[in-house]
Amino acid sequence: MAEVLDSQTRKAFADRLRYYNELGIYDFYRRAPHDIPSAVAVEQNIPELTETAPQMPRAAIAAPPAVDRPAALRMIREEIGDCTRCRLHKQGRKQIVFGVGNPNAELMFIGEAPGADEDEQGEPFVGRAGQLLNNMIKAMGLQREDVYIANIIKCRPPGNRTPERDECETCSPFLMQQIKVISPKAIVALGAVAAKTLLAVNAPMSELRGHWYDFRGTKLAVTYHPAFLLRDPRQKKETWKDLQMVMKELGLKAPEKVSE
Ligand code: URA
């Protein structure tokens, strides 16, 4: 029978995982209980991983070179399950909003968190901000179905408040796995929460946007969040510059006329 971790071990285990994540290590695997501990586990004093270890993304399953991306994404989704890893599961979320789009996408957009419409429909960016994001994608000469869209966290925070740091830390390892499986050529972080979480920096959007970052070997650009653009349409011009930078990188040309 699987051994249940006591709360102290569980916390030590979660801290250790976070430490590895910070080092850029996301790939772990479960050992059969009878396996001898690996040298690194012994050396680093990593507690035994058990079937009940709560924060272990089993789908951490490093994407092999010839990866079946849809299957790998399904495994990540299965591992998330009906998640209770953070407080958001008891704060009114209806469902987990995993991510949507082309598993082989060259371009990935990452937002902040689901809102009411997304929570209702189980899909990111389907409300007003989503309509604007769709228009941004079309202006780049792409369709929504061509790209992959996800959020830093997968559950709606109550009242659409900004996600707490610990919520981002708990949830983002699953996003890291999605990124790894999809392995896009470029990522666009939409807004400050996505940018700051992915880049682990604290700077105003005006400084964050407008240039490329290296995100674990993938090019990452930052631009304004569509919800912000709905409030301040004057920033659309700057956003278009960011998107053009991305288009140049991906060899995309803007269509002469953007269809509705
Ligand atoms: N805002 C986000 O950041 N993500 C969504 O999915 C919807 C709105």
Side-chain angles (χ1 to χ4, degrees):
M1 210 172 77
E3 184 192 339
V4 178
L5 299 177
D6 61 63
S7 62
Q8 207 182 351
T9 311
R10 190 186 294 208
K11 185 174 177 310
F13 178 53
D15 287 347
R16 177 63 61 142
L17 271 185
R18 200 166 298 126
Y19 167 72
Y20 282 122
N21 289 170
E22 278 163 12
L23 292 177
I25 300 168
Y26 285 87
D27 297 331
F28 304 91
Y29 58 90
R30 292 181 184 208
R31 278 173 281 139
H34 56 268
D35 275 3
I36 49 162
S38 70
V40 67
V42 172
E43 200 170 89
Q44 303 287 344
N45 194 24
I46 304 171
E48 280 297 307
L49 311 184
T50 74
E51 287 302 310
T52 48
Q55 298 205 3
M56 172 59 68
R58 180 174 36 191
I61 306 178
V67 68
D68 177 349
R69 291 187 172 113
L73 290 173
R74 277 197 301 277
M75 285 174 77
I76 300 170
R77 178 64 191 88
E78 271 170 32
E79 183 58 24
I80 295 172
D82 190 19
C83 188
T84 57
R85 292 170 180 83
C86 85
R87 65 182 76 76
L88 292 177
H89 79 280
K90 48 185 178 188
Q91 295 193 344
R93 72 121 202 258
K94 288 202 176 116
Q95 56 184 315
I96 285 155
V97 179
F98 180 66
V100 73
N102 182 350
N104 301 306
E106 291 196 343
L107 178 59
M108 194 164 169
F109 287 93
I110 299 177
E112 179 178 320
D117 295 314
E118 291 74 23
D119 185 47
E120 196 66 50
Q121 297 183 40
E123 183 173 325
F125 284 98
V126 289
R128 279 186 69 223
Q131 294 307 311
L132 181 51
L133 177 60
N134 290 348
N135 291 341
M136 288 158 61
I137 293 168
K138 281 186 197 156
M140 298 174 80
L142 294 169
Q143 299 294 320
R144 184 175 165 98
E145 298 71 35
D146 296 327
V147 305
Y148 195 90
I149 306 170
N151 284 307
I152 295 289
I153 64 167
K154 300 195 180 331
C155 293
R156 182 192 181 202
N160 296 344
R161 66 157 167 74
T162 303
E164 302 284 351
R165 193 175 163 175
D166 64 320
E167 293 160 359
C168 295
E169 280 173 1
T170 303
C171 203
S172 59
F174 295 107
L175 174 65
M176 299 310 138
Q177 291 301 319
Q178 287 169 284
I179 295 172
K180 186 154 194 173
V181 166
I182 295 161
S183 52
K185 282 197 180 145
I187 296 170
V188 176
L190 298 166
V193 170
K196 290 179 188 180
T197 306
L198 293 170
L199 298 171
V201 291
N202 196 6
M205 275 300 289
S206 54
E207 280 175 30
L208 288 170
R209 58 158 295 275
H211 33 257
W212 285 112
Y213 297 84
D214 175 75
F215 179 73
R216 302 172 187 194
T218 302
K219 291 204 147 200
L220 185 145
V222 175
T223 197
Y224 291 109
H225 193 290
F228 171 75
L229 295 175
L230 290 171
R231 296 193 297 274
D232 187 356
R234 286 169 307 174
Q235 302 305 329
K236 284 186 181 176
K237 217 166 124 186
E238 295 304 298
T239 305
W240 181 230
K241 285 185 199 161
D242 298 331
L243 298 182
Q244 283 177 308
M245 181 179 89
V246 176
M247 288 162 66
K248 191 168 172 208
E249 181 65 28
L250 298 180
L252 297 170
K253 279 206 165 50
E256 282 177 17
K257 192 167 177 281
V258 176
S259 59
E260 283 307 307

